[in-house]
Amino acid sequence: MSIRNLEFLLKPTSIALIGASRRPNSIGAVVARNLFNAGFEGPIMPVHPRERAIEGVLAYPSVAALPLTPDLAVICTPPDSVPGLIDELGARGTKAAVVITAGFGELGAEGKALQQKLLDAAKPHLLRILGPNCLGLMVPGQGVNASFVHIPPLKGDVALVAQSGAVVTAVVDWATSRGIGFSHLLSLGDVADVDFGDLIDHLANDGNVRSILLYIEAVGQTRKFLSAARAAARQKPVIVIKAGRSDEAAKAASSHTGALAGSDAVYDAAFRRAGILRVEELDELFAAVETLAMCGNLSGGRGFGDRLAIVTNGGGIGVLATDTLIKAGGRLAPLSAETIARLNGVLPAVWSKANPIDIIGDAPAKRYADALSILLEDRDIDALLVMNCPTAVGDSYWAAQAVIETLAKQPKDQRRPVLTTWLGEGAAAESRRLFAANRIPTYQTPRDAIAAFMHMVHYRKSQELLMETPASVTEYLQPDTGLATRIINAVLDEGREWLSEVESKKVLAAYGVPVVRTLSARTPDEAAEAARTLKRPVALKILSPDITHKSDVDGVVLRLAEPEHVRAAAVRMLTQVAKFKPNARIEGFTVQEMAVLDDPHELIVGMVNDHLFGPVILFGQGGTSVEVVGDKALALPPLNMNLARDLMSRTRIWKLLQGYRGRPPAELDAIAVALNMVSQLVIDFPQIQELDINPLFADPAGVVAIDARIRVTRTAEDGQKRLAIRPYPKDLEEIARLRDGRWFLLRPIRPEDEPLLHRMFERMTPEDIRLRFFAPMKQLSHQAAARMTQIDYDREMGLVAVAPGTDGIGEEMYGVVRIAADPDNVKAEYAVMVRSDLKGHGLGYLLMNKIIAYARDRGIGELFGEVLRENSTMLQVCSELGFIRRDHPEEPSVVEVRCKL
């Protein structure tokens, strides 16, 4: 399930509290007190077999005795009673329950069996369950506090979803003291039913929610989670703290939630791909709450960069803040000559004349106001950090007041983030309270403020990556899948897991990864003969399924110039390997040409299968010391050129690859293409469990794989389903013919199609544009085009009609149709656009038929859309396809069309 019936959980009109109690300090009593005192306007019906009244309200002895069916049930009874209660409530028509009771999945096999009974009872009634073993839920805007939290939360627009009830109570305690409120506080507990993906989907579409915070110990349905998170992150900030970074902490998280925690580095890659901002510590999560609550939504408006201006009355603290900023990857904003000249007019002659802006220790309130007013007008500054050290000659309270008054004069559309740090306790405490009351983020130390600033920077960069248009790799991606299939199947038929080095390189070469020519030999004599057919010098390596790291057993000899040298080296190698690995099975040797490159970088490209997120691509510095150096980054497939470059940029070797001290840069595009080829290979072959190219040489001329290993297993698993992100569905490509005999390729839309879409838009008439978009448009913005081309194939689909361009270069787009389904895959909205010079030839009709067939195959129950009443052509097509028309309830000029599938 997904968002189905969640409205009964989060917007109930009636609530039953089962297990309500009058016993002091019991869960039932605390929940009852919170529930009855939160301001809920609907009926709350306590259930207790013996009590006459709870919190002064008539109690009912059983579910059967309730006078009406509650939308939401809150259950605090012993665990053995819960499945029966769920069945009884579901039979009455209740659609949601919060099970606070513990004693289920977190207690091992017996508890999991009871939890399954709980789910089995709920399923026939489509009753949604939050929990069990949870703190409960709070929706302050609805007057709902169905929890045993110690203080009521304030109303606000930040949503928190957490697996830990303790984290929820800590956040409420912290936020209340700072005047920060929440739209939702949701404790997931054992996550039997309602999970992160469900709630993210719901909260993303809730206009009262401005940002979403997540505390995660483990994620279950990873594809569903990432699909929901990616959709939400395009609309509002999503921030996560993931517990279980170390192996020991991961084990603790597992026993606490009853779910296994995946590799932390893989979670990092997943969060990054989804556009989620990750913070490391709980105090950073608190700071993120404050920053988001007070700095506004950074997903829109003025571009946000990493250039920070620091204003301080203490030079030393400014230097410390600068060190922290640079170490974190930020930049000091350069001050323009005009800004410096204007500051000279309001600051003492001895001010720093640079950023950080030291306005001197005796700075009065007016000096803060004057400096801040000037800096806020400098467009090269992305954000400001204003700091104050307590002194005897400058009043910190009035300085804070001056900052507040200055910011209040700024037009809303010109505002940018301003963060504050008033150091100290006694003198600064009142100033910090003043900032909080005026919704200006304030931090106790420069380190905390810089961390908050960098959170904003990283968030903005993740948004840009989500919307960036990648270059096409179609021209490179023309694999020989037949050859790769034959090699892999032959290995599996022989009962082997590991492909030999020669086989591995043939598979990589079939996918366009450059490899050095490599031959295999069974004996030293055969190795010498192989060397005669290769360009020399050559490299000789031992060939054994039992030896992973050949150099560790003297199993590699380089730069052998003559066949006789190869024979002698092979004989010595057999002796040496026998000393190190006497029981290893020796299949012979590989002989390969030495790669001729100009001082190449040694890289590693690999793939591993994570038990939660499936295949993960690895990139980093390679060579024999790869484990010691530990320079690597991870990414989830499928990749594109932008994602490949982002992956590369997260390693230390990235700077070296760009050239330094006279050493020319490596061919970065060639590395990115190789990463894309490996990504596609992994997508196409679910049999591949591990892949290792180490080293991959890279220089200004390109890349070449020197050594490679691939491990395969037989699998009945759907290759697509094992991936955390659904890749490009190539199986939907087909050739189609119009009535006039013209042929087109119909295929799913790709992110790199944005230029084609823009060119198609330019060929549209103004009237056709108005009919499609309901308003005149001179051009299609990058943001709009990116949203149309960068889709989640799991919940959206776009089909384009393309043909070779008349100039012989690339493709031309002639039409596009797309649908966006709800998270439950019940309904989908459609939109279609045909290039003006192709109208009347049946292309729109063809595209609509194809998308209807696709939606039907996906199990979508209904397609719907909106059409301008004057768009008679589109209305005629809809009528012929079986759509039913009805007037729009709010727009007389618009017609709603719907089609049951």
Side-chain angles (χ1 to χ4, degrees), residues 58-75:
L58 180 67
Y60 301 90
S62 64
V63 170
L66 292 174
L68 55 87
T69 298
D71 284 348
L72 173 65
V74 182
I75 300 176

Side-chain angles (χ1 to χ4, degrees), residues 589-643:
F589 310 88
T590 60
V591 187
Q592 67 182 50
E593 295 175 352
M594 294 289 293
V596 182
L597 286 91
D598 181 19
D599 191 18
H601 296 276
E602 291 189 63
L603 307 174
I604 182 171
V605 172
M607 167 266 177
V608 292
N609 246 330
D610 181 75
H611 73 283
L612 284 177
F613 289 93
V616 182
I617 304 296
L618 175 145
F619 172 82
Q621 183 173 342
T624 56
S625 59
V626 61
E627 290 90 358
V628 177
V629 174
D631 179 22
K632 67 180 188 300
L634 302 178
L636 299 181
L639 296 181
N640 58 38
M641 291 295 279
N642 288 348
L643 293 170

Side-chain angles (χ1 to χ4, degrees), residues 156-160 180-185 208-213 289 292-293:
D157 52 16
V158 177
L160 172 66
I180 295 174
F182 295 88
S183 61
H184 302 76
L185 292 129
N208 296 317
V209 178
R210 188 164 49 84
S211 53
I212 302 171
L213 307 180
V289 174
L292 288 170

Side-chain angles (χ1 to χ4, degrees), residues 749-811:
I749 201 165
R750 297 188 292 238
E752 51 266 39
D753 284 335
E754 184 179 339
L756 300 184
L757 186 63
H758 282 295
R759 288 206 297 271
M760 175 182 162
F761 187 86
E762 291 168 1
R763 300 284 295 273
M764 303 281 291
T765 66
E767 178 64 6
D768 284 345
I769 291 172
R770 185 184 68 82
L771 290 175
R772 164 61 182 86
F773 294 99
F774 292 19
M777 291 175 61
K778 291 185 177 181
Q779 62 182 13
L780 191 64
S781 69
H782 162 65
Q783 289 78 11
R787 290 188 184 279
M788 294 174 70
T789 55
Q790 299 185 30
I791 65 174
D792 180 352
Y793 296 121
D794 237 13
R795 57 175 67 190
E796 301 171 88
M797 184 53 65
L799 298 176
V800 296
V802 296
T806 55
D807 56 1
I809 299 175
E811 294 176 316

Side-chain angles (χ1 to χ4, degrees), residues 302 307-310 333-335 339 355 357 374-384 416:
R302 178 181 178 272
R307 302 168 301 179
L308 180 70
I310 300 172
L335 300 182
T339 296
N355 187 10
I357 299 98
I374 293 169
L375 294 167
L376 285 170
E377 295 178 8
D378 190 326
R379 307 311 292 174
D380 291 329
I381 295 173
D382 295 311
L384 291 99
R416 68 199 74 181

Side-chain angles (χ1 to χ4, degrees), residues 93 188 209 270 330 543 588 845 849 851-852 897:
L188 292 180
V209 178
L543 182 61
Y845 193 86
N849 267 307
I851 205 70
I852 288 172
V897 292

Side-chain angles (χ1 to χ4, degrees), residues 90 316 321 515 560 759 798:
V515 300
L560 296 170
R759 288 206 297 271

